[in-house]
Amino acid sequence: MISNDAQEVRMSPFLRRHPSFRTDVFGHVPFPGHPEGIAIHRNVVYVGTHQDSSGLPNVPSHLYAYNRRGEITADFTIEGQNPTGQGILGLAVDHDGIVYILDRAPSRILTLDPRTRKQSVYAELPGVPPGPSELPSGGSADTPANEPPVPDDLVFAPDGTLYVTNLTQGMIWRVAPGGGSAEAWYTAPDLRSLFGPNGIRFLDHGRTLLFAQSAHELRDPSEIPNAHGLLYTLEIRRDGHPGRREIFWEGDIGETPDGFAIGCSGKIYVALALANAILVLSPEGREITRIPATPAENDRLDVPYDLPASVSFLGKKILVTNQAYFGGPSAHHAVLAIPVHERGRRLFRPRIRRL
């Protein structure tokens, strides 16, 4: 892990050009609150609601659409959720503006056409049975018996394949273009955790994934304050199978990465959930700075960071969902905005021919 002493941060060329960052409130998220997923299509910002750590509020999730001024322009209630356990996680958008929604209960991917408001099931995300089992990719799954699958984030490959992280079963699913049943594509024993594979994006033109493991091998919920996470690179071989995985960045105690976004410069803006900060990494994985710089600075904000979850670019600023997962007040249920003086790297948005 790379050192981050104060002198190194002060001398960073990035900080010499941009000596400070401010955090503004882009928009508040109404009931049921606890915003998690975010996706942006042209001038529309989509934000999904989740639950807190106790499972409340026990109502269907909403997907809110905002304009660039942070005003809500549409409200979509998610259909077909289970009575308990509701929650929207990652979001994505395709070429035609269709929104892909990760739903927790049941474990599935929904599509929403904002023009017609029609919702459809695009893919089912089944859990892998406990114990060793062969994956279609040639690997093996050794999943815990007591954890149901929880899809957390998703990203399109250029050909329309979706890669989907499974927070609790230590794996990444793959969904073929057009949808249908997901396959368990990659897993490893050291990825299993109460908070395992989380945010996921491509580092390049479709051959290298970058994904977060929020809490490394965490089993006991009482140990959450001592958790630490990692970012990994994972190659996709030409035959479509997973290749080599390497550590890109490793956090200290209390540093648990969630979602992230990648700028045109290659810098990576990572939501550190427990640390209540945005970590800025160089393209090589070196820490550049944090926003806010200290917990005291966070406390002085009108809306402090309260378990930041997902990150997305809107022009030359990043938007961050403030999930307030551990019972944070409704005033903290917001989308925060940070000018970062660069645009985001374009996400793949293929045109999907549905099955």
mmCIF file of all heavy atoms in Angstrom, residues 4-49:
data_model
loop_
_atom_site.group_PDB
_atom_site.id
_atom_site.type_symbol
_atom_site.label_atom_id
_atom_site.label_comp_id
_atom_site.label_asym_id
_atom_site.label_seq_id
_atom_site.Cartn_x
_atom_site.Cartn_y
_atom_site.Cartn_z
ATOM 1 N N ASN A 4 0.929 7.853 2.221
ATOM 2 C CA ASN A 4 0.184 9.080 1.936
ATOM 3 C C ASN A 4 0.550 10.130 2.976
ATOM 4 O O ASN A 4 -0.288 10.620 3.706
ATOM 5 C CB ASN A 4 -1.319 8.802 1.971
ATOM 6 C CG ASN A 4 -2.112 10.065 1.708
ATOM 7 O OD1 ASN A 4 -1.685 10.886 0.911
ATOM 8 N ND2 ASN A 4 -3.239 10.205 2.373
ATOM 9 N N ASP A 5 1.845 10.439 3.098
ATOM 10 C CA ASP A 5 2.216 11.448 4.077
ATOM 11 C C ASP A 5 1.849 12.829 3.573
ATOM 12 O O ASP A 5 1.589 13.046 2.392
ATOM 13 C CB ASP A 5 3.712 11.373 4.418
ATOM 14 C CG ASP A 5 4.591 11.555 3.192
ATOM 15 O OD1 ASP A 5 4.563 12.648 2.605
ATOM 16 O OD2 ASP A 5 5.298 10.600 2.818
ATOM 17 N N ALA A 6 1.812 13.776 4.477
ATOM 18 C CA ALA A 6 1.292 15.106 4.145
ATOM 19 C C ALA A 6 2.105 15.789 3.066
ATOM 20 O O ALA A 6 1.565 16.481 2.205
ATOM 21 C CB ALA A 6 1.268 15.970 5.410
ATOM 22 N N GLN A 7 3.440 15.580 3.091
ATOM 23 C CA GLN A 7 4.265 16.257 2.090
ATOM 24 C C GLN A 7 3.935 15.756 0.697
ATOM 25 O O GLN A 7 3.839 16.526 -0.258
ATOM 26 C CB GLN A 7 5.743 16.022 2.396
ATOM 27 C CG GLN A 7 6.669 16.763 1.413
ATOM 28 C CD GLN A 7 8.130 16.548 1.753
ATOM 29 O OE1 GLN A 7 8.459 15.738 2.621
ATOM 30 N NE2 GLN A 7 8.992 17.256 1.077
ATOM 31 N N GLU A 8 3.740 14.420 0.562
ATOM 32 C CA GLU A 8 3.409 13.854 -0.735
ATOM 33 C C GLU A 8 2.117 14.449 -1.271
ATOM 34 O O GLU A 8 2.012 14.797 -2.439
ATOM 35 C CB GLU A 8 3.289 12.340 -0.595
ATOM 36 C CG GLU A 8 3.038 11.632 -1.913
ATOM 37 C CD GLU A 8 2.951 10.140 -1.724
ATOM 38 O OE1 GLU A 8 2.316 9.693 -0.756
ATOM 39 O OE2 GLU A 8 3.523 9.416 -2.555
ATOM 40 N N VAL A 9 1.103 14.609 -0.402
ATOM 41 C CA VAL A 9 -0.162 15.173 -0.843
ATOM 42 C C VAL A 9 -0.001 16.628 -1.239
ATOM 43 O O VAL A 9 -0.495 17.076 -2.271
ATOM 44 C CB VAL A 9 -1.209 15.026 0.283
ATOM 45 C CG1 VAL A 9 -2.480 15.763 -0.089
ATOM 46 C CG2 VAL A 9 -1.505 13.550 0.521
ATOM 47 N N ARG A 10 0.742 17.418 -0.451
ATOM 48 C CA ARG A 10 0.906 18.848 -0.759
ATOM 49 C C ARG A 10 1.617 19.054 -2.081
ATOM 50 O O ARG A 10 1.348 19.997 -2.805
ATOM 51 C CB ARG A 10 1.692 19.529 0.362
ATOM 52 C CG ARG A 10 0.899 19.781 1.627
ATOM 53 C CD ARG A 10 1.587 20.820 2.472
ATOM 54 N NE ARG A 10 2.922 20.416 2.831
ATOM 55 C CZ ARG A 10 3.237 19.735 3.935
ATOM 56 N NH1 ARG A 10 2.282 19.359 4.769
ATOM 57 N NH2 ARG A 10 4.481 19.404 4.199
ATOM 58 N N MET A 11 2.540 18.142 -2.433
ATOM 59 C CA MET A 11 3.325 18.336 -3.637
ATOM 60 C C MET A 11 2.670 17.744 -4.879
ATOM 61 O O MET A 11 3.220 17.809 -5.954
ATOM 62 C CB MET A 11 4.719 17.704 -3.447
ATOM 63 C CG MET A 11 5.560 18.406 -2.384
ATOM 64 S SD MET A 11 5.723 20.186 -2.705
ATOM 65 C CE MET A 11 6.711 20.151 -4.193
ATOM 66 N N SER A 12 1.508 17.132 -4.735
ATOM 67 C CA SER A 12 0.843 16.547 -5.891
ATOM 68 C C SER A 12 0.540 17.617 -6.937
ATOM 69 O O SER A 12 -0.021 18.666 -6.631
ATOM 70 C CB SER A 12 -0.476 15.893 -5.461
ATOM 71 O OG SER A 12 -1.285 15.671 -6.577
ATOM 72 N N PRO A 13 0.900 17.391 -8.215
ATOM 73 C CA PRO A 13 0.564 18.368 -9.262
ATOM 74 C C PRO A 13 -0.925 18.620 -9.358
ATOM 75 O O PRO A 13 -1.360 19.723 -9.655
ATOM 76 C CB PRO A 13 1.112 17.701 -10.539
ATOM 77 C CG PRO A 13 2.143 16.742 -10.066
ATOM 78 C CD PRO A 13 1.683 16.259 -8.727
ATOM 79 N N PHE A 14 -1.731 17.587 -9.106
ATOM 80 C CA PHE A 14 -3.181 17.757 -9.163
ATOM 81 C C PHE A 14 -3.634 18.788 -8.138
ATOM 82 O O PHE A 14 -4.431 19.666 -8.428
ATOM 83 C CB PHE A 14 -3.849 16.407 -8.906
ATOM 84 C CG PHE A 14 -5.351 16.437 -8.977
ATOM 85 C CD1 PHE A 14 -5.993 16.834 -10.137
ATOM 86 C CD2 PHE A 14 -6.107 16.047 -7.903
ATOM 87 C CE1 PHE A 14 -7.374 16.841 -10.210
ATOM 88 C CE2 PHE A 14 -7.486 16.050 -7.969
ATOM 89 C CZ PHE A 14 -8.112 16.447 -9.119
ATOM 90 N N LEU A 15 -3.073 18.719 -6.923
ATOM 91 C CA LEU A 15 -3.474 19.664 -5.895
ATOM 92 C C LEU A 15 -2.919 21.057 -6.152
ATOM 93 O O LEU A 15 -3.506 22.046 -5.745
ATOM 94 C CB LEU A 15 -3.036 19.164 -4.524
ATOM 95 C CG LEU A 15 -3.769 17.912 -4.024
ATOM 96 C CD1 LEU A 15 -3.314 17.584 -2.617
ATOM 97 C CD2 LEU A 15 -5.260 18.107 -4.046
ATOM 98 N N ARG A 16 -1.758 21.160 -6.813
ATOM 99 C CA ARG A 16 -1.232 22.492 -7.131
ATOM 100 C C ARG A 16 -2.161 23.218 -8.098
ATOM 101 O O ARG A 16 -2.348 24.419 -8.033
ATOM 102 C CB ARG A 16 0.168 22.364 -7.735
ATOM 103 C CG ARG A 16 1.249 22.054 -6.712
ATOM 104 C CD ARG A 16 2.604 22.484 -7.234
ATOM 105 N NE ARG A 16 2.963 21.776 -8.452
ATOM 106 C CZ ARG A 16 3.638 20.636 -8.480
ATOM 107 N NH1 ARG A 16 3.999 20.055 -7.358
ATOM 108 N NH2 ARG A 16 3.950 20.063 -9.627
ATOM 109 N N ARG A 17 -2.781 22.458 -9.012
ATOM 110 C CA ARG A 17 -3.718 23.083 -9.944
ATOM 111 C C ARG A 17 -5.057 23.367 -9.286
ATOM 112 O O ARG A 17 -5.726 24.333 -9.604
ATOM 113 C CB ARG A 17 -3.940 22.166 -11.157
ATOM 114 C CG ARG A 17 -2.739 22.041 -12.069
ATOM 115 C CD ARG A 17 -3.151 21.463 -13.411
ATOM 116 N NE ARG A 17 -3.788 20.167 -13.272
ATOM 117 C CZ ARG A 17 -3.129 19.008 -13.258
ATOM 118 N NH1 ARG A 17 -1.820 18.997 -13.343
ATOM 119 N NH2 ARG A 17 -3.788 17.865 -13.148
ATOM 120 N N HIS A 18 -5.482 22.481 -8.386
ATOM 121 C CA HIS A 18 -6.797 22.581 -7.760
ATOM 122 C C HIS A 18 -6.623 22.457 -6.249
ATOM 123 O O HIS A 18 -6.763 21.368 -5.690
ATOM 124 C CB HIS A 18 -7.728 21.490 -8.292
ATOM 125 C CG HIS A 18 -7.774 21.438 -9.789
ATOM 126 N ND1 HIS A 18 -8.208 22.478 -10.560
ATOM 127 C CD2 HIS A 18 -7.402 20.460 -10.649
ATOM 128 C CE1 HIS A 18 -8.135 22.139 -11.853
ATOM 129 N NE2 HIS A 18 -7.635 20.936 -11.917
ATOM 130 N N PRO A 19 -6.280 23.541 -5.567
ATOM 131 C CA PRO A 19 -5.862 23.444 -4.167
ATOM 132 C C PRO A 19 -6.970 23.087 -3.195
ATOM 133 O O PRO A 19 -6.688 22.740 -2.072
ATOM 134 C CB PRO A 19 -5.313 24.844 -3.879
ATOM 135 C CG PRO A 19 -6.012 25.738 -4.858
ATOM 136 C CD PRO A 19 -6.217 24.906 -6.089
ATOM 137 N N SER A 20 -8.226 23.191 -3.583
ATOM 138 C CA SER A 20 -9.286 22.856 -2.643
ATOM 139 C C SER A 20 -10.520 22.382 -3.396
ATOM 140 O O SER A 20 -10.706 22.684 -4.564
ATOM 141 C CB SER A 20 -9.642 24.077 -1.781
ATOM 142 O OG SER A 20 -10.186 25.108 -2.582
ATOM 143 N N PHE A 21 -11.334 21.626 -2.699
ATOM 144 C CA PHE A 21 -12.591 21.137 -3.253
ATOM 145 C C PHE A 21 -13.703 21.525 -2.294
ATOM 146 O O PHE A 21 -13.528 21.456 -1.081
ATOM 147 C CB PHE A 21 -12.564 19.608 -3.390
ATOM 148 C CG PHE A 21 -11.533 19.088 -4.339
ATOM 149 C CD1 PHE A 21 -10.266 18.783 -3.889
ATOM 150 C CD2 PHE A 21 -11.827 18.905 -5.671
ATOM 151 C CE1 PHE A 21 -9.311 18.284 -4.750
ATOM 152 C CE2 PHE A 21 -10.889 18.419 -6.544
ATOM 153 C CZ PHE A 21 -9.610 18.109 -6.083
ATOM 154 N N ARG A 22 -14.816 21.904 -2.839
ATOM 155 C CA ARG A 22 -15.963 22.205 -1.992
ATOM 156 C C ARG A 22 -17.029 21.144 -2.244
ATOM 157 O O ARG A 22 -17.075 20.522 -3.310
ATOM 158 C CB ARG A 22 -16.519 23.601 -2.288
ATOM 159 C CG ARG A 22 -17.266 23.712 -3.611
ATOM 160 C CD ARG A 22 -17.884 25.086 -3.814
ATOM 161 N NE ARG A 22 -18.761 25.120 -4.965
ATOM 162 C CZ ARG A 22 -18.359 25.388 -6.200
ATOM 163 N NH1 ARG A 22 -17.091 25.654 -6.435
ATOM 164 N NH2 ARG A 22 -19.223 25.394 -7.201
ATOM 165 N N THR A 23 -17.855 20.954 -1.262
ATOM 166 C CA THR A 23 -18.979 20.030 -1.392
ATOM 167 C C THR A 23 -20.275 20.820 -1.282
ATOM 168 O O THR A 23 -20.484 21.558 -0.317
ATOM 169 C CB THR A 23 -18.937 18.952 -0.295
ATOM 170 O OG1 THR A 23 -17.749 18.182 -0.449
ATOM 171 C CG2 THR A 23 -20.146 18.038 -0.400
ATOM 172 N N ASP A 24 -21.115 20.689 -2.285
ATOM 173 C CA ASP A 24 -22.428 21.324 -2.298
ATOM 174 C C ASP A 24 -23.506 20.243 -2.242
ATOM 175 O O ASP A 24 -23.248 19.067 -2.490
ATOM 176 C CB ASP A 24 -22.622 22.160 -3.571
ATOM 177 C CG ASP A 24 -21.564 23.239 -3.719
ATOM 178 O OD1 ASP A 24 -21.278 23.932 -2.730
ATOM 179 O OD2 ASP A 24 -21.009 23.378 -4.834
ATOM 180 N N VAL A 25 -24.713 20.651 -1.949
ATOM 181 C CA VAL A 25 -25.863 19.742 -2.012
ATOM 182 C C VAL A 25 -26.492 19.888 -3.393
ATOM 183 O O VAL A 25 -27.003 20.950 -3.746
ATOM 184 C CB VAL A 25 -26.884 20.054 -0.908
ATOM 185 C CG1 VAL A 25 -28.108 19.144 -1.058
ATOM 186 C CG2 VAL A 25 -26.260 19.877 0.474
ATOM 187 N N PHE A 26 -26.429 18.815 -4.170
ATOM 188 C CA PHE A 26 -27.073 18.827 -5.488
ATOM 189 C C PHE A 26 -28.583 18.751 -5.334
ATOM 190 O O PHE A 26 -29.333 19.489 -5.982
ATOM 191 C CB PHE A 26 -26.560 17.652 -6.315
ATOM 192 C CG PHE A 26 -27.310 17.445 -7.604
ATOM 193 C CD1 PHE A 26 -27.078 18.262 -8.700
ATOM 194 C CD2 PHE A 26 -28.255 16.424 -7.734
ATOM 195 C CE1 PHE A 26 -27.770 18.078 -9.894
ATOM 196 C CE2 PHE A 26 -28.946 16.232 -8.910
ATOM 197 C CZ PHE A 26 -28.705 17.056 -9.997
ATOM 198 N N GLY A 27 -29.059 17.863 -4.478
ATOM 199 C CA GLY A 27 -30.496 17.716 -4.275
ATOM 200 C C GLY A 27 -30.778 16.783 -3.109
ATOM 201 O O GLY A 27 -29.984 15.882 -2.811
ATOM 202 N N HIS A 28 -31.883 17.014 -2.445
ATOM 203 C CA HIS A 28 -32.304 16.123 -1.374
ATOM 204 C C HIS A 28 -33.138 14.984 -1.958
ATOM 205 O O HIS A 28 -33.750 15.114 -3.027
ATOM 206 C CB HIS A 28 -33.098 16.900 -0.327
ATOM 207 C CG HIS A 28 -32.243 17.792 0.518
ATOM 208 N ND1 HIS A 28 -31.549 17.336 1.616
ATOM 209 C CD2 HIS A 28 -31.940 19.107 0.394
ATOM 210 C CE1 HIS A 28 -30.859 18.334 2.150
ATOM 211 N NE2 HIS A 28 -31.083 19.421 1.433
ATOM 212 N N VAL A 29 -33.133 13.857 -1.247
ATOM 213 C CA VAL A 29 -33.844 12.661 -1.694
ATOM 214 C C VAL A 29 -34.992 12.416 -0.729
ATOM 215 O O VAL A 29 -34.778 12.106 0.447
ATOM 216 C CB VAL A 29 -32.908 11.443 -1.741
ATOM 217 C CG1 VAL A 29 -33.670 10.203 -2.211
ATOM 218 C CG2 VAL A 29 -31.726 11.729 -2.670
ATOM 219 N N PRO A 30 -36.233 12.541 -1.206
ATOM 220 C CA PRO A 30 -37.385 12.377 -0.304
ATOM 221 C C PRO A 30 -37.602 10.927 0.094
ATOM 222 O O PRO A 30 -36.910 10.012 -0.358
ATOM 223 C CB PRO A 30 -38.551 12.929 -1.132
ATOM 224 C CG PRO A 30 -38.126 12.775 -2.548
ATOM 225 C CD PRO A 30 -36.633 12.923 -2.570
ATOM 226 N N PHE A 31 -38.589 10.725 0.947
ATOM 227 C CA PHE A 31 -38.964 9.396 1.415
ATOM 228 C C PHE A 31 -39.157 8.452 0.225
ATOM 229 O O PHE A 31 -39.715 8.875 -0.790
ATOM 230 C CB PHE A 31 -40.270 9.501 2.218
ATOM 231 C CG PHE A 31 -40.690 8.228 2.882
ATOM 232 C CD1 PHE A 31 -40.184 7.865 4.106
ATOM 233 C CD2 PHE A 31 -41.594 7.385 2.248
ATOM 234 C CE1 PHE A 31 -40.577 6.675 4.708
ATOM 235 C CE2 PHE A 31 -41.982 6.192 2.842
ATOM 236 C CZ PHE A 31 -41.472 5.838 4.077
ATOM 237 N N PRO A 32 -38.686 7.223 0.302
ATOM 238 C CA PRO A 32 -38.104 6.542 1.456
ATOM 239 C C PRO A 32 -36.632 6.806 1.710
ATOM 240 O O PRO A 32 -36.076 6.258 2.650
ATOM 241 C CB PRO A 32 -38.339 5.070 1.143
ATOM 242 C CG PRO A 32 -38.415 5.005 -0.334
ATOM 243 C CD PRO A 32 -38.993 6.294 -0.798
ATOM 244 N N GLY A 33 -35.987 7.646 0.920
ATOM 245 C CA GLY A 33 -34.640 8.107 1.215
ATOM 246 C C GLY A 33 -33.563 7.049 1.088
ATOM 247 O O GLY A 33 -33.687 6.093 0.338
ATOM 248 N N HIS A 34 -32.468 7.245 1.828
ATOM 249 C CA HIS A 34 -31.305 6.361 1.789
ATOM 250 C C HIS A 34 -30.853 6.104 0.345
ATOM 251 O O HIS A 34 -30.874 4.965 -0.135
ATOM 252 C CB HIS A 34 -31.594 5.035 2.508
ATOM 253 C CG HIS A 34 -31.975 5.207 3.943
ATOM 254 N ND1 HIS A 34 -31.084 5.606 4.923
ATOM 255 C CD2 HIS A 34 -33.176 5.073 4.564
ATOM 256 C CE1 HIS A 34 -31.698 5.681 6.088
ATOM 257 N NE2 HIS A 34 -32.971 5.375 5.903
ATOM 258 N N PRO A 35 -30.443 7.151 -0.372
ATOM 259 C CA PRO A 35 -30.055 6.982 -1.780
ATOM 260 C C PRO A 35 -28.797 6.126 -1.901
ATOM 261 O O PRO A 35 -27.850 6.273 -1.142
ATOM 262 C CB PRO A 35 -29.804 8.412 -2.251
ATOM 263 C CG PRO A 35 -29.423 9.155 -1.005
ATOM 264 C CD PRO A 35 -30.252 8.542 0.081
ATOM 265 N N GLU A 36 -28.811 5.235 -2.875
ATOM 266 C CA GLU A 36 -27.684 4.318 -3.109
ATOM 267 C C GLU A 36 -27.190 4.453 -4.545
ATOM 268 O O GLU A 36 -26.131 4.986 -4.808
ATOM 269 C CB GLU A 36 -28.126 2.891 -2.778
ATOM 270 C CG GLU A 36 -27.280 1.780 -3.359
ATOM 271 C CD GLU A 36 -25.935 1.614 -2.695
ATOM 272 O OE1 GLU A 36 -25.875 1.382 -1.491
ATOM 273 O OE2 GLU A 36 -24.933 1.677 -3.423
ATOM 274 N N GLY A 37 -27.949 3.931 -5.513
ATOM 275 C CA GLY A 37 -27.499 3.940 -6.898
ATOM 276 C C GLY A 37 -27.729 5.284 -7.573
ATOM 277 O O GLY A 37 -28.644 6.033 -7.227
ATOM 278 N N ILE A 38 -26.870 5.580 -8.578
ATOM 279 C CA ILE A 38 -27.023 6.804 -9.358
ATOM 280 C C ILE A 38 -26.536 6.537 -10.775
ATOM 281 O O ILE A 38 -25.563 5.797 -10.984
ATOM 282 C CB ILE A 38 -26.235 7.978 -8.716
ATOM 283 C CG1 ILE A 38 -26.507 9.289 -9.454
ATOM 284 C CG2 ILE A 38 -24.747 7.680 -8.645
ATOM 285 C CD1 ILE A 38 -25.974 10.513 -8.722
ATOM 286 N N ALA A 39 -27.235 7.076 -11.748
ATOM 287 C CA ALA A 39 -26.830 6.993 -13.149
ATOM 288 C C ALA A 39 -27.295 8.251 -13.852
ATOM 289 O O ALA A 39 -28.338 8.826 -13.495
ATOM 290 C CB ALA A 39 -27.420 5.759 -13.831
ATOM 291 N N ILE A 40 -26.533 8.695 -14.834
ATOM 292 C CA ILE A 40 -26.821 9.951 -15.517
ATOM 293 C C ILE A 40 -26.925 9.692 -17.012
ATOM 294 O O ILE A 40 -26.061 9.026 -17.606
ATOM 295 C CB ILE A 40 -25.735 10.999 -15.208
ATOM 296 C CG1 ILE A 40 -25.731 11.298 -13.702
ATOM 297 C CG2 ILE A 40 -25.960 12.282 -16.011
ATOM 298 C CD1 ILE A 40 -24.583 12.144 -13.241
ATOM 299 N N HIS A 41 -27.988 10.191 -17.606
ATOM 300 C CA HIS A 41 -28.189 10.089 -19.050
ATOM 301 C C HIS A 41 -28.500 11.478 -19.577
ATOM 302 O O HIS A 41 -29.550 12.056 -19.264
ATOM 303 C CB HIS A 41 -29.328 9.123 -19.368
ATOM 304 C CG HIS A 41 -29.585 8.963 -20.837
ATOM 305 N ND1 HIS A 41 -28.659 8.397 -21.689
ATOM 306 C CD2 HIS A 41 -30.660 9.284 -21.600
ATOM 307 C CE1 HIS A 41 -29.150 8.381 -22.911
ATOM 308 N NE2 HIS A 41 -30.360 8.916 -22.888
ATOM 309 N N ARG A 42 -27.554 12.012 -20.342
ATOM 310 C CA ARG A 42 -27.675 13.377 -20.842
ATOM 311 C C ARG A 42 -27.866 14.335 -19.680
ATOM 312 O O ARG A 42 -26.976 14.462 -18.845
ATOM 313 C CB ARG A 42 -28.786 13.459 -21.885
ATOM 314 C CG ARG A 42 -28.484 12.588 -23.111
ATOM 315 C CD ARG A 42 -29.611 12.582 -24.105
ATOM 316 N NE ARG A 42 -29.277 11.724 -25.239
ATOM 317 C CZ ARG A 42 -30.142 11.325 -26.150
ATOM 318 N NH1 ARG A 42 -31.419 11.699 -26.064
ATOM 319 N NH2 ARG A 42 -29.759 10.543 -27.136
ATOM 320 N N ASN A 43 -29.004 14.989 -19.582
ATOM 321 C CA ASN A 43 -29.214 15.963 -18.510
ATOM 322 C C ASN A 43 -30.098 15.432 -17.388
ATOM 323 O O ASN A 43 -30.575 16.205 -16.565
ATOM 324 C CB ASN A 43 -29.832 17.246 -19.076
ATOM 325 C CG ASN A 43 -28.864 18.000 -19.953
ATOM 326 O OD1 ASN A 43 -27.679 18.075 -19.658
ATOM 327 N ND2 ASN A 43 -29.359 18.552 -21.055
ATOM 328 N N VAL A 44 -30.311 14.119 -17.368
ATOM 329 C CA VAL A 44 -31.174 13.528 -16.356
ATOM 330 C C VAL A 44 -30.322 12.714 -15.381
ATOM 331 O O VAL A 44 -29.503 11.888 -15.793
ATOM 332 C CB VAL A 44 -32.256 12.633 -16.977
ATOM 333 C CG1 VAL A 44 -33.159 12.043 -15.894
ATOM 334 C CG2 VAL A 44 -33.080 13.416 -17.992
ATOM 335 N N VAL A 45 -30.542 12.938 -14.102
ATOM 336 C CA VAL A 45 -29.842 12.208 -13.042
ATOM 337 C C VAL A 45 -30.848 11.275 -12.369
ATOM 338 O O VAL A 45 -31.862 11.733 -11.830
ATOM 339 C CB VAL A 45 -29.245 13.178 -12.004
ATOM 340 C CG1 VAL A 45 -28.562 12.403 -10.872
ATOM 341 C CG2 VAL A 45 -28.263 14.145 -12.663
ATOM 342 N N TYR A 46 -30.579 9.966 -12.423
ATOM 343 C CA TYR A 46 -31.452 8.979 -11.792
ATOM 344 C C TYR A 46 -30.837 8.545 -10.461
ATOM 345 O O TYR A 46 -29.647 8.215 -10.388
ATOM 346 C CB TYR A 46 -31.629 7.761 -12.691
ATOM 347 C CG TYR A 46 -32.341 8.055 -13.985
ATOM 348 C CD1 TYR A 46 -31.629 8.181 -15.184
ATOM 349 C CD2 TYR A 46 -33.724 8.226 -14.017
ATOM 350 C CE1 TYR A 46 -32.280 8.456 -16.375
ATOM 351 C CE2 TYR A 46 -34.379 8.497 -15.205
ATOM 352 C CZ TYR A 46 -33.655 8.621 -16.379
ATOM 353 O OH TYR A 46 -34.306 8.904 -17.556
ATOM 354 N N VAL A 47 -31.662 8.523 -9.422
ATOM 355 C CA VAL A 47 -31.209 8.153 -8.079
ATOM 356 C C VAL A 47 -32.212 7.165 -7.504
ATOM 357 O O VAL A 47 -33.427 7.409 -7.517
ATOM 358 C CB VAL A 47 -31.091 9.383 -7.161
ATOM 359 C CG1 VAL A 47 -30.721 8.970 -5.735
ATOM 360 C CG2 VAL A 47 -30.065 10.373 -7.713
ATOM 361 N N GLY A 48 -31.705 6.045 -6.982
ATOM 362 C CA GLY A 48 -32.569 5.034 -6.394
ATOM 363 C C GLY A 48 -32.482 5.020 -4.881
ATOM 364 O O GLY A 48 -31.448 5.349 -4.299
ATOM 365 N N THR A 49 -33.584 4.627 -4.223
ATOM 366 C CA THR A 49 -33.617 4.591 -2.765
ATOM 367 C C THR A 49 -33.382 3.171 -2.254
ATOM 368 O O THR A 49 -33.664 2.187 -2.928
ATOM 369 C CB THR A 49 -34.960 5.113 -2.222
ATOM 370 O OG1 THR A 49 -35.992 4.160 -2.500
ATOM 371 C CG2 THR A 49 -35.310 6.452 -2.843
#
